[in-house]
Amino acid sequence: MTTTAVTHIASLVTNDPSLGNGTPLGLIQDAAVVIDGDRIVWTGESSKAPATDNVLDAAGRAVIPGFVDSHSHLVFAGDRTEEFNARMSGQPYRAGGIRTTVAATRAASDDDLSANVARYLAEALRQGTTTFETKSGYGLTVEDEARALRIAGRHTDEVTYLGAHIVSPDYADDPAGYVDLVTGPMLDACAPHARWIDVFCEQGAFDGDQARAILTAGRAKGLHPRVHANQLSYGPGVQLAVELDAASADHCTHLTDADVDALAQGNTVATLLPGAEFSTRAEWPDARRLLDAGATVALSTDCNPGSSFTSSVPFCIALAVRDMGMTPDEAVWAATAGGAAALRRTDVGRITPGARADLVLLDAPSHVHLAYRPGVPLVSAVWRRGERVV
């Protein structure tokens, strides 16, 4: 293996408060990073960088950790352009639109679905995403859910079983029967291919009792919970997530004071998905309220064809700063270290010795430009596992 130093970094985001200026971002000015194989082995001031086999001069640009996108739905076929157009013309978003994607996904071949995942991952990588989670949920049969997870597993280790996305159209008159399927034969087929289990706990999808049964069954099979919680209305999702020690409660748009307190006191990360609010013209999550209470917040894209068809974490950062009460520092932390926390990972989302060498070089002197210059393609180079991939 050869060593590489990236030097003359104007501002390096390490996400290690013990480094640099002592803030959560652990900023180091005029910095350098040394990569050995797939790991970071040194960070510090550029003038003190050790000798390496290769040197890349950042020329006064900023470096941040690769984005950790901890919530996406990439195993799908088709799109929902007509639904989006209608919604932008005044029709409200409802969970049932998922059925359109279910029909297209069931009809698609494995190769087509895998190519679609690869396409959107390449798109995300060009925008700085080096770690991502993705879910099943557009098959809703034993066979289609299992194949979705097998396909997702070709592209990432962070695979989530979401058979409980909505009640399958095949069980429209028997939701209890569908819960039995999700917690029985479907779970048996899917558990070997997933790390996580998720449920859409929402009006029009699954209620609190159904969600509890599904998540508990998944835990018994070795899958750790995550929850689509409190997106469209107030409900039991957040409280259930904290009770079951879910890694994340995702959306968190409609929260009571008790919900906020539970998130602040528990280990469950509040993953906010501003692309969904942007695409559905819904109420923005109140990130400021969560942060001030002491909750851990992550930002993710929720990339899916229905309610948030974006793979751009920088776009979500800009939205969070503009409309959700986050500072630029908080938003960048949430999209890197926060996403890692939502996946219970310590090897990504930071630039410190021992961490995986996932770096993003920005064509800007500071990470603040991600919010300051919204919509501008600022990602100049990306390293993943020590290899330059962009």
Side-chain angles (χ1 to χ4, degrees), residues 60-71:
R61 291 173 288 178
V63 169
I64 64 174
F67 297 124
V68 181
D69 191 345
S70 60
H71 184 128

Side-chain angles (χ1 to χ4, degrees), residues 13 15 25 27 63-68 297 299 313-314 317-318 320-321 326-339 349 362 366-371:
V13 173
N15 285 338
L25 289 189
L27 290 172
V63 169
I64 64 174
F67 297 124
V68 181
V297 172
L299 283 176
V313 173
I317 288 172
V321 172
M326 301 185 84
T327 68
D329 284 14
E330 290 167 339
V332 169
W333 190 96
T336 51
L362 300 178
S366 166
H367 63 280
V368 177
H369 282 235
L370 290 165

Side-chain angles (χ1 to χ4, degrees), residues 96-166:
I98 293 167
R99 294 180 181 87
T100 303
T101 302
V102 169
T105 303
R106 288 178 177 180
S109 70
D110 288 12
D111 287 345
D112 286 345
L113 291 175
S114 188
N116 214 33
V117 174
R119 170 190 174 190
Y120 294 115
L121 289 183
E123 184 179 274
L125 184 64
R126 291 193 297 271
Q127 297 173 88
T129 298
T130 53
T131 303
F132 76 98
E133 176 269 3
T134 201
K135 311 174 192 294
S136 65
Y138 292 126
L140 309 186
T141 67
V142 172
E143 179 182 352
D144 286 305
E145 286 295 294
R147 77 162 178 151
L149 296 173
R150 289 194 300 269
I151 289 167
R154 299 174 190 171
H155 303 276
T156 181
D157 294 331
E158 300 294 350
V159 177
T160 301
Y161 166 45
L162 182 60
H165 202 177
I166 59 169

Side-chain angles (χ1 to χ4, degrees), residues 6-87:
V6 183
T7 62
H8 300 114
I9 300 167
S11 179
L12 172 66
V13 173
T14 68
N15 285 338
D16 185 341
S18 71
L19 300 175
N21 64 356
T23 67
L25 289 189
L27 290 172
I28 303 175
Q29 307 298 328
D30 191 14
V33 176
V34 176
I35 301 169
D36 188 351
D38 66 351
R39 298 285 151 176
I40 303 292
V41 294
W42 187 90
T43 60
E45 296 177 13
S46 191
S47 62
K48 300 177 181 178
T52 56
D53 300 312
N54 302 301
V55 177
L56 185 145
D57 189 342
R61 291 173 288 178
V63 169
I64 64 174
F67 297 124
V68 181
D69 191 345
S70 60
H71 184 128
S72 73
H73 304 251
L74 298 184
V75 187
F76 70 88
D79 71 15
R80 281 148 65 184
T81 303
E82 292 183 6
E83 177 188 324
F84 176 81
N85 192 33
R87 191 163 64 242

